[in-house]
Amino acid sequence: MALVSADSRIAELLGELHQLIKQTQEERSRSEHNLVNIQKTHERMQTENKISPYYRTKLRGLYTTAKADAEAECKPPPLCGAVPAAGDYVAKPGDKVAARVKALEGDEQWILAEVVSYSHAANKYEVDDIDEEGKERHTLSRRRIIPLPQWKTNPETDPEALFHKEQLVLALYPQTTCFYRALIHAPPQRPQDDYSVLFEDTSYADGYSPPLNVAQRYVVACKETKKK
Protein backbone atom coordinates (compact mmCIF):
# COMPACT_ATOMS: atom_id res chain seq x y z
CA MET A 1 0.00 0.00 0.00
CA ALA A 2 2.79 2.42 0.93
CA LEU A 3 4.58 1.64 -2.34
CA VAL A 4 1.43 2.32 -4.38
CA SER A 5 0.91 5.58 -2.51
CA ALA A 6 4.50 6.65 -3.19
CA ASP A 7 4.18 5.79 -6.89
CA SER A 8 0.95 7.80 -7.11
CA ARG A 9 2.60 10.78 -5.43
CA ILE A 10 5.57 10.61 -7.83
CA ALA A 11 3.20 10.48 -10.81
CA GLU A 12 1.31 13.49 -9.41
CA LEU A 13 4.52 15.48 -8.92
CA LEU A 14 5.71 14.63 -12.43
CA GLY A 15 2.38 15.88 -13.76
CA GLU A 16 2.79 19.13 -11.84
CA LEU A 17 6.35 19.49 -13.15
CA HIS A 18 5.12 18.98 -16.72
CA GLN A 19 2.50 21.70 -16.27
CA LEU A 20 5.07 24.09 -14.79
CA ILE A 21 7.46 23.51 -17.71
CA LYS A 22 4.60 24.09 -20.16
CA GLN A 23 3.56 27.27 -18.36
CA THR A 24 7.16 28.51 -18.29
CA GLN A 25 7.51 27.95 -22.03
CA GLU A 26 4.24 29.79 -22.72
CA GLU A 27 5.35 32.77 -20.63
CA ARG A 28 8.79 32.77 -22.27
CA SER A 29 7.19 32.76 -25.74
CA ARG A 30 4.95 35.65 -24.76
CA SER A 31 7.92 37.63 -23.44
CA GLU A 32 9.97 36.93 -26.58
CA HIS A 33 7.07 38.05 -28.78
CA ASN A 34 6.95 41.36 -26.90
CA LEU A 35 10.73 41.87 -27.26
CA VAL A 36 10.48 41.21 -31.02
CA ASN A 37 7.75 43.88 -31.23
CA ILE A 38 10.03 46.36 -29.47
CA GLN A 39 12.84 45.65 -31.93
CA LYS A 40 10.54 45.95 -34.98
CA THR A 41 9.09 49.22 -33.69
CA HIS A 42 12.56 50.70 -33.31
CA GLU A 43 13.43 49.55 -36.85
CA ARG A 44 10.33 51.25 -38.28
CA MET A 45 11.18 54.45 -36.41
CA GLN A 46 14.69 54.42 -37.90
CA THR A 47 13.29 53.82 -41.39
CA GLU A 48 10.84 56.72 -41.09
CA ASN A 49 13.46 58.80 -39.26
CA LYS A 50 10.93 60.26 -36.83
CA ILE A 51 9.32 59.57 -33.46
CA SER A 52 5.58 60.09 -33.81
CA PRO A 53 3.10 60.19 -30.88
CA TYR A 54 1.90 56.76 -32.09
CA TYR A 55 5.35 55.17 -31.74
CA ARG A 56 5.93 56.91 -28.42
CA THR A 57 2.70 55.48 -26.97
CA LYS A 58 3.30 52.04 -28.46
CA LEU A 59 6.86 51.80 -27.08
CA ARG A 60 5.73 52.94 -23.65
CA GLY A 61 3.23 50.08 -23.54
CA LEU A 62 5.70 47.51 -24.88
CA TYR A 63 8.41 48.50 -22.39
CA THR A 64 5.93 48.47 -19.49
CA THR A 65 4.97 44.91 -20.41
CA ALA A 66 8.62 43.87 -20.81
CA LYS A 67 9.49 45.32 -17.39
CA ALA A 68 6.59 43.45 -15.75
CA ASP A 69 7.64 40.20 -17.46
CA ALA A 70 11.24 40.59 -16.28
CA GLU A 71 10.16 41.28 -12.69
CA ALA A 72 7.85 38.24 -12.72
CA GLU A 73 10.70 35.98 -13.91
CA CYS A 74 13.03 37.19 -11.15
CA LYS A 75 10.52 36.90 -8.32
CA PRO A 76 10.68 33.75 -6.16
CA PRO A 77 7.46 31.71 -6.45
CA PRO A 78 4.99 31.15 -3.58
CA LEU A 79 6.17 28.57 -1.00
CA CYS A 80 9.81 29.18 -1.88
CA GLY A 81 11.51 29.81 1.45
CA ALA A 82 9.74 32.58 3.34
CA VAL A 83 7.40 33.45 0.45
CA PRO A 84 3.90 32.49 1.66
CA ALA A 85 1.31 30.60 -0.34
CA ALA A 86 -1.15 32.55 -2.47
CA GLY A 87 -4.38 33.50 -0.73
CA ASP A 88 -6.43 30.93 -2.67
CA TYR A 89 -3.85 28.13 -2.34
CA VAL A 90 -5.11 24.73 -1.20
CA ALA A 91 -2.60 22.16 0.05
CA LYS A 92 -2.84 18.78 -1.65
CA PRO A 93 -3.29 15.35 -0.03
CA GLY A 94 0.10 14.16 1.18
CA ASP A 95 1.47 17.69 1.68
CA LYS A 96 3.06 18.45 5.05
CA VAL A 97 1.69 21.46 6.92
CA ALA A 98 1.83 23.17 10.28
CA ALA A 99 -1.57 22.65 11.93
CA ARG A 100 -2.93 24.39 15.01
CA VAL A 101 -4.75 21.86 17.19
CA LYS A 102 -6.01 21.59 20.76
CA ALA A 103 -3.71 19.70 23.10
CA LEU A 104 -4.89 17.27 25.79
CA GLU A 105 -4.60 19.98 28.44
CA GLY A 106 -6.91 22.26 26.46
CA ASP A 107 -4.12 24.51 25.21
CA GLU A 108 -3.43 24.94 21.54
CA GLN A 109 -0.23 23.99 19.76
CA TRP A 110 1.19 23.84 16.26
CA ILE A 111 2.00 20.32 15.06
CA LEU A 112 3.51 18.77 11.95
CA ALA A 113 0.65 17.17 10.02
CA GLU A 114 -0.13 15.59 6.65
CA VAL A 115 -3.08 16.70 4.54
CA VAL A 116 -5.68 13.98 3.96
CA SER A 117 -8.30 16.02 2.11
CA TYR A 118 -9.85 19.46 1.72
CA SER A 119 -13.55 20.29 1.53
CA HIS A 120 -14.28 23.38 -0.58
CA ALA A 121 -17.89 23.34 0.64
CA ALA A 122 -16.93 23.40 4.33
CA ASN A 123 -13.66 25.28 3.76
CA LYS A 124 -11.93 22.79 6.05
CA TYR A 125 -8.97 20.43 5.95
CA GLU A 126 -8.68 16.91 7.28
CA VAL A 127 -5.11 16.29 8.45
CA ASP A 128 -3.27 13.49 10.23
CA ASP A 129 -0.89 14.15 13.10
CA ILE A 130 2.53 13.01 11.84
CA ASP A 131 3.44 11.71 15.31
CA GLU A 132 3.05 7.91 15.11
CA GLU A 133 2.50 7.49 18.87
CA GLY A 134 -0.33 9.96 19.19
CA LYS A 135 -1.56 9.73 15.60
CA GLU A 136 -4.88 11.48 15.33
CA ARG A 137 -7.04 12.97 12.56
CA HIS A 138 -8.14 16.59 12.86
CA THR A 139 -10.72 18.64 10.96
CA LEU A 140 -9.47 22.22 10.81
CA SER A 141 -10.35 25.50 9.14
CA ARG A 142 -7.91 27.05 6.65
CA ARG A 143 -6.75 29.67 9.16
CA ARG A 144 -5.40 26.84 11.33
CA ILE A 145 -3.20 25.50 8.53
CA ILE A 146 0.14 26.89 7.31
CA PRO A 147 1.52 25.21 4.16
CA LEU A 148 5.22 24.42 4.53
CA PRO A 149 7.81 25.70 2.04
CA GLN A 150 8.21 23.44 -0.99
CA TRP A 151 11.50 24.84 -2.28
CA LYS A 152 14.70 25.96 -0.60
CA THR A 153 15.91 29.51 -1.11
CA ASN A 154 19.22 30.44 -2.69
CA PRO A 155 20.49 33.28 -0.46
CA GLU A 156 22.72 34.63 -3.24
CA THR A 157 19.96 35.05 -5.83
CA ASP A 158 16.81 35.40 -3.70
CA PRO A 159 17.72 36.96 -0.32
CA GLU A 160 14.22 38.49 -0.14
CA ALA A 161 12.80 34.96 0.21
CA LEU A 162 14.61 34.42 3.52
CA PHE A 163 13.50 35.16 7.07
CA HIS A 164 15.85 37.73 8.57
CA LYS A 165 17.81 37.87 11.83
CA GLU A 166 15.55 38.44 14.88
CA GLN A 167 12.39 37.83 12.85
CA LEU A 168 9.68 35.95 14.77
CA VAL A 169 8.83 32.55 13.26
CA LEU A 170 7.34 29.17 14.04
CA ALA A 171 10.01 26.45 13.83
CA LEU A 172 9.89 22.68 14.31
CA TYR A 173 11.77 21.88 17.51
CA PRO A 174 14.53 19.31 16.79
CA GLN A 175 13.57 15.68 17.40
CA THR A 176 9.88 16.59 17.91
CA THR A 177 6.78 17.02 15.74
CA CYS A 178 5.74 20.37 17.25
CA PHE A 179 6.33 23.94 16.09
CA TYR A 180 7.25 26.61 18.62
CA ARG A 181 7.84 30.35 18.48
CA ALA A 182 11.44 31.31 17.83
CA LEU A 183 13.66 34.15 16.67
CA ILE A 184 15.93 33.81 13.66
CA HIS A 185 19.51 33.78 14.95
CA ALA A 186 21.12 33.41 11.53
CA PRO A 187 19.58 32.73 8.09
CA PRO A 188 21.09 30.16 5.68
CA GLN A 189 24.19 31.21 3.76
CA ARG A 190 23.76 28.54 1.07
CA PRO A 191 20.68 26.77 -0.35
CA GLN A 192 21.49 23.55 1.53
CA ASP A 193 22.01 25.29 4.89
CA ASP A 194 19.55 25.30 7.82
CA TYR A 195 18.28 28.24 9.80
CA SER A 196 19.82 28.88 13.21
CA VAL A 197 16.99 29.81 15.59
CA LEU A 198 16.48 30.76 19.25
CA PHE A 199 13.38 29.08 20.70
CA GLU A 200 11.39 30.87 23.38
CA ASP A 201 12.32 29.15 26.65
CA THR A 202 11.66 30.63 30.10
CA SER A 203 14.24 28.33 31.70
CA TYR A 204 16.95 30.64 30.32
CA ALA A 205 17.67 34.08 31.77
CA ASP A 206 17.05 35.93 28.51
CA GLY A 207 13.97 33.83 27.66
CA TYR A 208 15.53 32.04 24.69
CA SER A 209 17.33 28.75 24.10
CA PRO A 210 20.87 28.52 22.69
CA PRO A 211 20.96 28.48 18.86
CA LEU A 212 19.52 25.34 17.27
CA ASN A 213 19.46 24.34 13.60
CA VAL A 214 16.13 23.82 11.84
CA ALA A 215 15.70 22.84 8.17
CA GLN A 216 14.32 25.53 5.86
CA ARG A 217 11.15 23.56 5.13
CA TYR A 218 10.21 23.57 8.82
CA VAL A 219 10.38 27.34 9.40
CA VAL A 220 7.27 29.43 8.69
CA ALA A 221 6.05 32.94 9.50
CA CYS A 222 4.50 33.61 12.88
CA LYS A 223 1.74 36.24 12.83
CA GLU A 224 1.65 36.57 16.59
CA THR A 225 3.42 39.45 18.29
CA LYS A 226 6.78 39.01 19.99
CA LYS A 227 6.63 38.38 23.73
CA LYS A 228 7.98 41.21 25.88
Side-chain angles (χ1 to χ4, degrees):
M1 178 66 76
L3 182 59
V4 173
S5 177
D7 288 343
S8 299
R9 182 59 176 158
I10 290 172
E12 181 183 349
L13 290 172
L14 287 173
E16 291 180 8
L17 179 59
H18 174 74
Q19 290 300 318
L20 288 171
I21 292 173
K22 183 179 178 182
Q23 181 182 349
T24 299
Q25 185 57 47
E26 290 173 351
E27 293 180 357
R28 179 177 293 173
S29 298
R30 179 172 56 81
S31 298
E32 289 178 354
H33 178 71
N34 190 65
L35 293 175
V36 169
N37 279 340
I38 291 176
Q39 181 180 353
K40 287 183 177 179
T41 302
H42 276 289
E43 289 173 352
R44 292 194 191 101
M45 288 169 53
Q46 290 175 352
T47 301
E48 297 179 15
N49 199 27
K50 66 178 182 179
I51 304 177
S52 66
Y54 166 75
Y55 284 133
R56 209 178 273 120
T57 301
K58 183 176 182 179
L59 280 174
R60 185 181 294 113
L62 289 172
Y63 275 113
T64 298
T65 301
K67 180 175 180 290
D69 289 342
E71 290 174 347
E73 287 180 7
C74 294
K75 187 177 178 181
L79 296 180
C80 175
V83 182
D88 59 352
Y89 178 80
V90 174
K92 301 176 181 62
D95 283 356
K96 302 296 189 299
V97 297
R100 190 173 186 177
V101 301
K102 286 188 177 181
L104 295 176
E105 303 79 17
D107 297 329
E108 294 193 333
Q109 63 180 4
W110 289 94
I111 65 168
L112 178 61
E114 181 177 300
V115 173
V116 176
S117 64
Y118 176 75
S119 169
H120 288 275
N123 205 25
K124 291 180 182 287
Y125 283 98
E126 275 200 343
V127 301
D128 281 342
D129 187 339
I130 214 72
D131 185 355
E132 290 295 335
E133 293 183 4
K135 194 158 190 177
E136 185 178 352
R137 182 158 296 182
H138 303 271
T139 301
L140 304 169
S141 62
R142 288 183 65 173
R143 64 185 178 84
R144 289 178 170 269
I145 296 293
I146 302 177
L148 298 185
Q150 295 183 354
W151 298 280
K152 292 182 178 181
T153 299
N154 186 335
E156 294 183 0
T157 59
D158 301 306
E160 70 276 18
L162 288 172
F163 293 111
H164 303 295
K165 184 176 176 66
E166 296 188 353
Q167 187 170 350
L168 183 64
V169 296
L170 287 174
L172 192 71
Y173 197 90
Q175 308 304 317
T176 78
T177 58
C178 292
F179 291 83
Y180 297 97
R181 291 156 53 103
L183 292 180
I184 298 296
H185 176 64
Q189 298 299 308
R190 301 172 300 170
Q192 65 269 32
D193 290 346
D194 296 337
Y195 278 98
S196 175
V197 305
L198 309 173
F199 285 97
E200 290 184 348
D201 192 333
T202 55
S203 64
Y204 292 90
D206 62 356
Y208 293 96
S209 70
L212 293 171
N213 288 344
V214 179
Q216 290 189 42
R217 68 172 304 191
Y218 296 127
V219 179
V220 294
C222 180
K223 298 180 181 179
E224 303 170 28
T225 57
K226 180 179 174 181
K227 289 183 179 179
K228 303 270 183 167

